[in-house]
Amino acid sequence: MSRPVSLEADVGKILWAVSAALFCCLCGLWALRAFINLPPGPWGLPVVGYLPWLNPRTPHLTMVRLVERYGRLFSLRMGGVLVVVMADPHTIREVLAQRSTTGRAPLFLTHGIMKGYGLICSEGDLWREHRKFVLGFMRDHGMRTTATRAAMEPQIHAVATHLTQELAESRGTPVDISHHLLHHVGNTMNHLIFGITYREEDPKWRWLRLLLEEGTKLVGVSGPLNFLPWLRFLPTYRSVIKFITENQSKTHQEYQSIITDHEKRISSGVSVESPPDAPEAERGAPEVALSRTQEKEEEPCQEVPDGDEASGARLAEDQSGEMVSSSKVPLHIVDAYVRERRERGEEEPGSFTYEQLHHVAADLFGAGSETTITTFKWHLLNMALFPEAQERVQKELQECQPAGGAEVTMEDAHLLPYTQASILETQRLRSILPLGIPHGTTQELTIDGYRIPKGTMLLPLLWQVHHDPDTWSNPDQYRPERFLDQEGQVIRHPAFMPFQTGRRMCIGDEFAKMILFVFTTKILLRFKVDLEPGVKDDPSKDPVCGISLCPRPFKLVFTPRVSQADEN
């Protein structure tokens, strides 16, 4: 009588065994699915993936070698992150134009340290809402379209004039241009974001500049810490994380102090462009406005042109002669943010929180300053390394300069094709973001027939795009002529994307173009630029790769080409 029971028990065991086997098979197939129909690429090791083979000094060159082996679309694992590298300009433009590629890859920098806040590290509705907000501000202040440049360009000319005056005082002594650029370009960003500027010797400003210089060296897109967060517990990386997080906190405290002061002044009815009170001056000794640092009679703000681009708003003077906002156009980012919070209600500001503002301000300051400064450093270095190109730019500028020594403006750019081409060639040759800015997929998609899973990191390999010998002849040579057509006019190359492309394209491209053009014309009209005498090694060799690709430290000699009386 026990035999049927035994048989029933055996059948039950068999069914459980079959079910378990099927479950394991399904799990295996699901796991295998992650590798099915992916773009080709190298195998890596468990846990770390391909990271051990990635050169930390020149990660972009490692990727270029993989392009030669696997083609312009390949995949690899970096830690636990699937990375798809795109090196074809058409593919990059097509893919990054899709809404499904506007996410951010799950990196420790974006999700662990920045916690998905700001503009650079955010995604989804938070990113869309704040990108629209910042774009609106930049449009109204002349930094998005050629039609509104008049609102911003005069301030950039004023900054460039101060810079040339400082260079003239060097009197042939070799100059490290980095510190001058960081002060002036950084203060331009301070004025746009906070409505203040700092004196160069101010201790707090020196500290903020140091943070920008050191921070950009510590965290790179390809850094192992981004893909292996547990490394932060090791002594080497622990100090890096401590530097970043502690100084991030201190910086945000400084930002909040500025925000709170601004809110108090609005609430008390004090003009937000009037000179700061004593406590604020002690905090950071900010100067009132960028265009008033030297000449009191100069207006601190430019009137916004009429039309849809400016929202029909104006800046007006009160009885004291100070500039106050009379309508819709905020004076700076903090002012715009405070207004938005008040319109929404302080108790329910939505995504417009103070923490988000801290990160937005840091992103705008860091990205707006560091990338523009690095590009211009490369450009001045190119002018010194290639004197024939420098002489041709100067000849063109002299022929174009308006009668009476009036300054060259952006409206004259069409008369200066070689000058423009020299800047474009610097951006191509040096490619300060060689790995681009990584994106993340928010849903599964297909690229060139390959399956790209949700959560994949997309890497536009701009170095390969800008140095592909099939696209650019002699790509490692500095040849501005490649950006000129047979009639000598500037051409826009489809494989040229220094500000990247797509829905998350750099929002400060117009601002950067103005800085590069105005600074170039101001300096090269007045000075001959040479490398410091006795330099044996080319500073452009073996650049430093952090967040951006920077030249090794160098000094330049600025020899006056015109007398002081002839200056604009």
Side-chain angles (χ1 to χ4, degrees), residues 226-330:
N226 264 324
F227 305 96
L228 304 172
W230 49 266
L231 289 176
R232 67 186 185 277
F233 299 112
L234 301 180
T236 301
Y237 292 99
R238 190 183 302 146
S239 60
V240 173
I241 294 300
K242 182 179 180 181
F243 178 90
I244 294 173
T245 55
E246 287 186 356
N247 286 297
Q248 179 192 68
S249 177
K250 292 177 182 178
T251 302
H252 289 185
Q253 290 175 18
E254 172 65 11
Y255 291 171
Q256 187 58 48
S257 177
I258 297 173
I259 296 164
T260 301
D261 286 343
H262 184 71
E263 289 179 320
K264 288 179 179 178
R265 297 175 71 196
I266 291 178
S267 298
S268 63
V270 177
S271 168
V272 291
E273 276 293 299
S274 61
D277 54 18
E280 187 178 14
E282 291 172 3
R283 183 193 75 239
E287 298 163 357
V288 178
L290 197 65
S291 57
R292 296 180 58 168
T293 54
Q294 299 293 330
E295 301 293 337
K296 183 177 180 180
E297 63 271 18
E298 291 182 9
E299 300 294 349
C301 300
Q302 301 294 325
E303 285 197 351
V304 181
D306 292 322
D308 293 338
E309 290 293 340
S311 303
R314 311 295 272 178
L315 296 174
E317 292 186 13
D318 62 13
Q319 292 181 352
S320 66
E322 298 297 338
M323 301 300 289
V324 295
S325 179
S326 64
S327 186
K328 298 180 181 179
V329 176

Side-chain angles (χ1 to χ4, degrees), residues 191-483:
H191 187 251
L192 289 170
I193 300 167
F194 305 109
I196 64 173
T197 59
Y198 295 92
R199 285 187 282 271
E200 184 171 9
E201 68 278 5
D202 186 275
K204 188 155 291 184
W205 180 223
R206 289 181 179 273
W207 168 69
L208 290 170
R209 283 179 287 169
L210 175 65
L211 294 187
L212 180 63
E213 290 179 313
E214 295 301 318
T216 54
K217 299 175 185 177
L218 294 177
V219 181
V221 171
S222 61
L225 190 60
N226 264 324
F227 305 96
L228 304 172
W230 49 266
L231 289 176
R232 67 186 185 277
F233 299 112
L234 301 180
T236 301
Y237 292 99
R238 190 183 302 146
S239 60
V240 173
I241 294 300
K242 182 179 180 181
F243 178 90
I244 294 173
T245 55
E246 287 186 356
N247 286 297
Q248 179 192 68
S249 177
K250 292 177 182 178
T251 302
H252 289 185
Q253 290 175 18
E254 172 65 11
Y255 291 171
Q256 187 58 48
S257 177
I258 297 173
I259 296 164
T260 301
D261 286 343
H262 184 71
E263 289 179 320
K264 288 179 179 178
R265 297 175 71 196
I266 291 178
S267 298
S268 63
V270 177
S271 168
V272 291
E273 276 293 299
S274 61
D277 54 18
E280 187 178 14
E282 291 172 3
R283 183 193 75 239
E287 298 163 357
V288 178
L290 197 65
S291 57
R292 296 180 58 168
T293 54
Q294 299 293 330
E295 301 293 337
K296 183 177 180 180
E297 63 271 18
E298 291 182 9
E299 300 294 349
C301 300
Q302 301 294 325
E303 285 197 351
V304 181
D306 292 322
D308 293 338
E309 290 293 340
S311 303
R314 311 295 272 178
L315 296 174
E317 292 186 13
D318 62 13
Q319 292 181 352
S320 66
E322 298 297 338
M323 301 300 289
V324 295
S325 179
S326 64
S327 186
K328 298 180 181 179
V329 176
L331 296 163
H332 42 78
I333 287 288
V334 167
D335 185 41
Y337 213 91
V338 169
R339 290 184 187 210
E340 184 68 25
R341 282 177 57 85
R342 295 194 172 198
E343 289 180 5
R344 289 167 173 253
E346 292 286 347
E347 299 300 322
E348 297 183 2
S351 65
F352 282 75
T353 63
Y354 288 127
E355 187 171 15
Q356 170 68 356
L357 175 54
H358 300 160
H359 284 272
V360 168
D363 286 350
L364 290 173
F365 178 80
S369 300
E370 202 275 337
T371 54
T372 306
I373 290 169
T374 300
T375 301
F376 192 64
K377 283 168 58 178
W378 275 117
H379 189 49
L380 285 180
L381 180 58
N382 282 340
M383 292 295 96
L385 291 173
F386 306 102
E388 300 85 359
Q390 180 182 170
E391 291 173 5
R392 185 168 171 181
V393 169
Q394 289 166 334
K395 183 176 183 295
E396 186 178 65
L397 287 171
Q398 286 178 317
E399 293 174 350
C400 171
Q401 188 176 25
E407 59 193 14
V408 176
T409 69
M410 294 296 293
E411 290 185 357
D412 301 314
H414 69 285
L415 301 174
L416 299 164
Y418 190 83
T419 302
Q420 291 189 71
S422 70
I423 298 172
L424 298 177
E425 177 67 347
T426 289
Q427 293 176 296
R428 181 205 66 83
L429 179 63
R430 304 310 180 184
S431 294
I432 65 166
L433 296 174
L435 294 174
I437 300 296
H439 288 223
T441 57
T442 58
Q443 64 185 55
E444 184 173 303
L445 67 149
T446 301
I447 302 178
D448 292 350
Y450 293 105
R451 186 181 64 86
I452 312 298
K454 177 182 178 180
T456 300
M457 174 174 163
L458 299 175
L459 203 65
L461 187 55
L462 298 187
W463 185 269
Q464 171 66 21
V465 172
H466 289 164
H467 291 80
D468 189 339
D470 293 334
T471 304
W472 313 91
S473 60
N474 301 312
D476 295 328
Q477 295 181 7
Y478 181 76
R479 291 179 50 231
E481 295 83 1
R482 71 174 82 244
F483 284 97

Side-chain angles (χ1 to χ4, degrees), residues 85-238:
V85 180
M86 302 176 292
D88 178 76
H90 175 74
T91 299
I92 293 173
R93 292 186 185 279
E94 185 178 75
V95 171
L96 298 190
Q98 300 177 35
R99 184 179 292 273
S100 60
T101 63
T102 58
R104 282 302 188 220
L107 305 180
F108 183 63
L109 172 65
T110 58
H111 292 65
I113 298 178
M114 303 306 175
K115 301 177 182 177
Y117 285 108
L119 289 173
I120 297 175
C121 298
S122 62
E123 57 186 350
D125 292 338
L126 178 65
W127 164 73
R128 278 187 286 272
E129 190 169 26
H130 280 78
R131 181 179 173 89
K132 181 179 179 181
F133 167 78
V134 173
L135 282 173
F137 173 86
M138 298 181 75
R139 180 189 62 238
D140 292 339
H141 286 260
M143 290 174 285
R144 284 305 302 160
T145 65
T146 57
T148 59
R149 281 174 177 167
M152 186 64 198
E153 188 178 350
Q155 294 188 37
I156 295 177
H157 276 282
V159 173
T161 297
H162 295 158
L163 174 60
T164 56
Q165 289 171 349
E166 292 177 2
L167 296 178
E169 293 171 0
S170 67
R171 302 185 185 281
T173 303
V175 174
D176 182 351
I177 194 68
S178 301
H179 304 300
H180 295 275
L181 292 176
L182 185 51
H183 172 60
H184 289 292
V185 177
N187 254 341
T188 305
M189 297 307 301
N190 284 332
H191 187 251
L192 289 170
I193 300 167
F194 305 109
I196 64 173
T197 59
Y198 295 92
R199 285 187 282 271
E200 184 171 9
E201 68 278 5
D202 186 275
K204 188 155 291 184
W205 180 223
R206 289 181 179 273
W207 168 69
L208 290 170
R209 283 179 287 169
L210 175 65
L211 294 187
L212 180 63
E213 290 179 313
E214 295 301 318
T216 54
K217 299 175 185 177
L218 294 177
V219 181
V221 171
S222 61
L225 190 60
N226 264 324
F227 305 96
L228 304 172
W230 49 266
L231 289 176
R232 67 186 185 277
F233 299 112
L234 301 180
T236 301
Y237 292 99
R238 190 183 302 146

